[in-house]
Amino acid sequence: ARICADSGGAVDESDETDNCVDYTFTVSSQPDLTIPNQPTIAGTMTAGQSLTFTDKVKNSGGTVSGVFKVRYCIDNVSCLTNTTGRIVADIDVPSLNAGITSGDITSAGWTATAGAHTIYFCADVGGVVAESNEGTASNCNNKDFTVATKPDLSAYSPATNPASPAPGNSTTFSATVVNEGGSSTLVGSTSNFCLDLNTASYSVCEVNLGTDWATPALASGATDNITGPNSWTAVSGAHIARICADSGGAVDESDETD
């Protein structure tokens, strides 16, 4: 194709030889399956959560494609040609006419693992469609994302009020709950406080001061200072106090032992 400026010669120009430009193009007689957009991600980006991925395929070629399969892979740049990291199974897609884009194509759920990842989405895996453009650059698209570690609740700095109770004093307890994990707890939790009255090392809860010490949902790195709802009348002797965060097990944590 050629386009020429001042084709009627109305303008007296300094150079009458550079008025035209040529453009070469091809009208394809084959389909061409492309992925114009990156996959979208649905779900909470936290280890252990289920994520799904959605994308569309466009037939950018000049003829109908026929039926074909698509594939989602985690961390596999060769997703078009092998199944490493494939999410469950390949997905059948109906034939697309020239210029038509498919509806949403959503993967099965993937249980997220912590760290940096890339999701790949490829059309015509298996190569059943003879296309005008073949290969990863034409048939695939991808998106980088990062999955945070699970939350991890720990208890610190238990204290009494008064600080050094005398026998008979009404004594309350406080502590700090910290989310040391990489993501929010999403839900609130409760902590419990126990006293072991008979030994210098904790072995049994003899006085339970309550399991309803409430802590709201905590972002990564956030803290909550809690004070027990129940008091204890101090008795003489050496005692061990223990506070346990998330004693009700409401939060799925990266470490349930601390």
Side-chain angles (χ1 to χ4, degrees):
R2 170 171 289 186
I3 182 170
C4 294
D6 191 31
S7 56
V11 179
D12 182 18
E13 303 178 61
S14 60
D15 187 346
E16 298 284 3
T17 66
D18 62 350
N19 288 42
C20 296
V21 63
D22 295 337
Y23 172 63
T24 301
F25 64 97
T26 301
V27 177
S28 175
S29 59
Q30 292 180 296
D32 183 19
L33 298 174
T34 62
I35 316 295
N37 301 308
Q38 292 181 308
T40 60
I41 305 172
T44 302
M45 297 281 196
T46 303
Q49 298 296 311
S50 180
L51 302 180
T52 59
F53 308 91
T54 299
D55 213 333
K56 298 179 180 182
V57 180
K58 181 178 181 179
N59 180 2
S60 300
T63 59
V64 64
S65 69
V67 297
F68 58 95
K69 293 180 182 290
V70 298
R71 177 182 298 155
Y72 285 97
C73 299
I74 297 291
D75 300 331
N76 176 17
V77 69
S78 300
C79 185
L80 181 65
T81 56
N82 72 62
T83 59
T84 300
R86 178 176 63 180
I87 300 178
V88 184
D90 297 341
I91 303 169
D92 293 317
V93 179
S95 180
L96 294 176
N97 289 326
I100 297 301
T101 299
S102 73
D104 287 344
I105 303 169
T106 300
S107 72
W110 174 67
T111 301
T113 58
H117 299 285
T118 304
I119 179 67
Y120 293 88
F121 178 62
C122 296
D124 193 31
V125 294
V128 298
V129 179
E131 301 177 63
S132 56
N133 293 291
E134 302 274 8
T136 297
S138 174
N139 289 67
C140 301
N141 208 330
N142 63 81
K143 183 179 181 67
D144 298 330
F145 64 100
T146 300
V147 175
T149 58
K150 293 180 180 181
D152 183 21
L153 294 177
S154 298
Y156 291 97
S157 305
T160 60
N161 184 21
S164 300
N169 282 166
S170 178
T171 305
T172 58
F173 298 84
S174 62
T176 299
V177 175
V178 183
N179 180 4
E180 299 180 315
S183 58
S184 170
T185 61
L186 300 180
V187 297
S189 61
T190 56
S191 302
N192 80 313
F193 209 116
C194 278
L195 297 178
D196 185 336
L197 304 181
N198 298 322
T199 180
S201 66
Y202 188 93
S203 62
V204 64
C205 179
E206 293 186 274
V207 179
N208 189 334
L209 293 172
T211 59
D212 54 352
W213 295 29
T215 293
L218 293 179
S220 175
T223 63
D224 182 47
N225 297 318
I226 57 176
T227 299
N230 302 316
S231 62
W232 168 66
T233 300
V235 297
S236 62
H239 311 304
I240 297 293
R242 172 173 288 186
I243 184 170
C244 293
D246 192 33
S247 56
V251 178
D252 181 19
E253 302 179 61
S254 59
D255 187 348
E256 298 285 2
T257 65
D258 63 346

